[in-house]
Amino acid sequence: MNRMKKSQKITVGIVILGIGVLLLGIDRIFVAADNASYDQSMTYVTVAALVFFLVGAIWFFWNALN
């Protein structure tokens, strides 16, 4: 079984977090003019970005601290 090095695992975590940042940026570009409340302004892209943040943060800290 081929195992990833610690630096590669940390890089994967940073990439996942970067994807979350890009998704939130894209989402805010298209929804920036919306005056709705926070619940109404949450789109599927926002939810996907938050999932990427959660997974990326867990992945990053799990591998950085082990």
Side-chain angles (χ1 to χ4, degrees), residues 18-56:
I19 291 171
V21 169
L22 288 175
L23 283 175
L24 264 185
I26 290 168
D27 183 51
R28 290 301 105 196
I29 287 171
F30 293 112
V31 190
D34 189 13
N35 290 331
S37 68
Y38 183 73
D39 292 339
Q40 293 173 344
S41 69
M42 284 195 58
T43 64
Y44 294 116
V45 179
T46 306
V47 174
L50 294 175
V51 169
F52 272 100
F53 277 138
L54 178 65
V55 170

Side-chain angles (χ1 to χ4, degrees), residues 1-13 59-60 63-64 66:
M1 180 180 201
N2 188 7
R3 299 191 65 152
M4 292 171 46
K5 295 179 187 176
K6 186 173 184 174
S7 63
Q8 291 173 331
K9 290 179 181 181
I10 290 173
T11 303
V12 169
W59 178 276
F60 179 76
N63 290 302
N66 276 339

